[in-house]
Amino acid sequence: MENSANEAACHTGATRKSHHPERVKRDLTTRLNRIEGQIRGIKGMIDKDVYCDDVITQLSATQSALNSVAKILLEGHLKGCVVDRLSEGDHEVLDELVVTIQKLMKK
């Protein structure tokens, strides 16, 4: 799948926002909707007393899907927000990026 996360740009200033192209937003929304469905399915499995290993397998698949969303967002952040802020001389973005990556790696 082609993703253009590098077209995303963060706006600096008092309000921090990201701007993603509509097709990237649609892709992310589709992925998150699928993940939401997976979570509902897992809840149903718990209610139906499905074998634990099968539930864990679904949890693993859901975590992988969440990681994919995070990767797309991180790529856009790096290629857009971070590059822009560095070109403006804002090197604090690197400290922010380190914290963000540490959060992702805890998972």
Side-chain angles (χ1 to χ4, degrees), residues 28-104:
L28 291 171
T29 299
T30 298
R31 288 169 182 266
L32 290 169
N33 286 339
R34 192 175 308 126
I35 291 165
E36 187 176 27
Q38 287 176 296
I39 296 294
R40 281 194 304 274
I42 292 167
K43 286 169 52 178
M45 292 172 79
I46 298 292
D47 289 342
K48 294 175 185 168
D49 295 321
V50 172
Y51 186 60
C52 297
D53 189 58
D54 295 336
V55 176
I56 291 168
T57 298
Q58 289 305 308
L59 285 168
S60 177
T62 303
Q63 184 63 57
S64 178
L66 280 170
N67 288 341
S68 292
V69 170
K71 287 177 192 175
I72 291 168
L73 288 170
L74 182 59
E75 180 183 351
H77 185 56
L78 285 169
K79 292 181 177 180
C81 307
V82 174
V83 168
D84 291 347
R85 288 177 60 187
L86 283 173
S87 69
E88 294 168 0
D90 180 359
H91 293 275
E92 288 180 20
V93 70
L94 295 176
D95 293 330
E96 177 186 281
L97 181 60
V98 168
V99 170
T100 298
I101 291 171
Q102 288 172 341
K103 288 177 189 176
L104 284 173

